[in-house]
Amino acid sequence: MEEQQLEVIMGLIVNAGNAKSDAMEAIQAAKAGAFDEADQKIAAAHHSLVEAHHAQTDLLTEEAQGNNQTITLLTVHSQDHLMTAIAFTDLAKEIIDLYQRVEVAG
């Protein structure tokens, strides 16, 4: 695997991991009633997901241009990490919404 490809894959993993961590912190903030903080954490998660998507797009662009990429366990892991982070962030938004509704109703 080329060093450039490895850097892109690691960037994908790091940004996806950051997104998932921020989404979890957003849920914890909402649980504590800190909805402004929850919104900030979700925004940070979204930013990290955008960065991860850029890395993924770089890999896909290389492949589309005929520069076949070596598929390794690390490559597969990076894609899995991104998909999990996307799903987790979407779910975190729903959980935060529920906490807000409970607080308003309470």
Side-chain angles (χ1 to χ4, degrees):
M1 177 182 300
E2 290 182 22
E3 186 174 333
Q4 181 182 3
Q5 183 182 2
L6 182 59
E7 287 178 18
V8 171
I9 290 169
M10 292 308 293
L12 210 161
I13 291 169
V14 166
N15 283 301
N18 288 344
K20 188 175 174 194
S21 293
D22 284 332
M24 185 56 150
E25 289 176 12
I27 292 170
Q28 293 168 346
K31 186 176 183 178
F35 297 109
D36 288 338
E37 181 183 349
D39 289 342
Q40 292 170 355
K41 290 293 184 177
I42 286 295
H46 176 73
H47 175 76
S48 292
L49 287 176
V50 168
E51 292 300 314
H53 273 289
H54 287 306
Q56 183 184 47
T57 300
D58 289 345
L59 291 173
L60 294 172
T61 299
E62 284 294 315
E63 186 80 22
Q65 292 175 344
N67 301 323
N68 294 332
Q69 303 293 307
T70 303
I71 304 300
T72 65
L73 184 57
L74 195 57
T75 307
V76 173
H77 176 68
S78 72
Q79 295 301 307
D80 180 53
H81 217 49
L82 177 58
M83 294 293 293
T84 302
I86 291 168
F88 195 89
T89 301
D90 289 344
L91 186 58
K93 291 175 188 177
E94 294 299 321
I95 292 170
I96 291 165
D97 184 53
L98 288 173
Y99 276 123
Q100 286 175 325
R101 287 178 187 221
V102 166
E103 184 164 297
V104 168

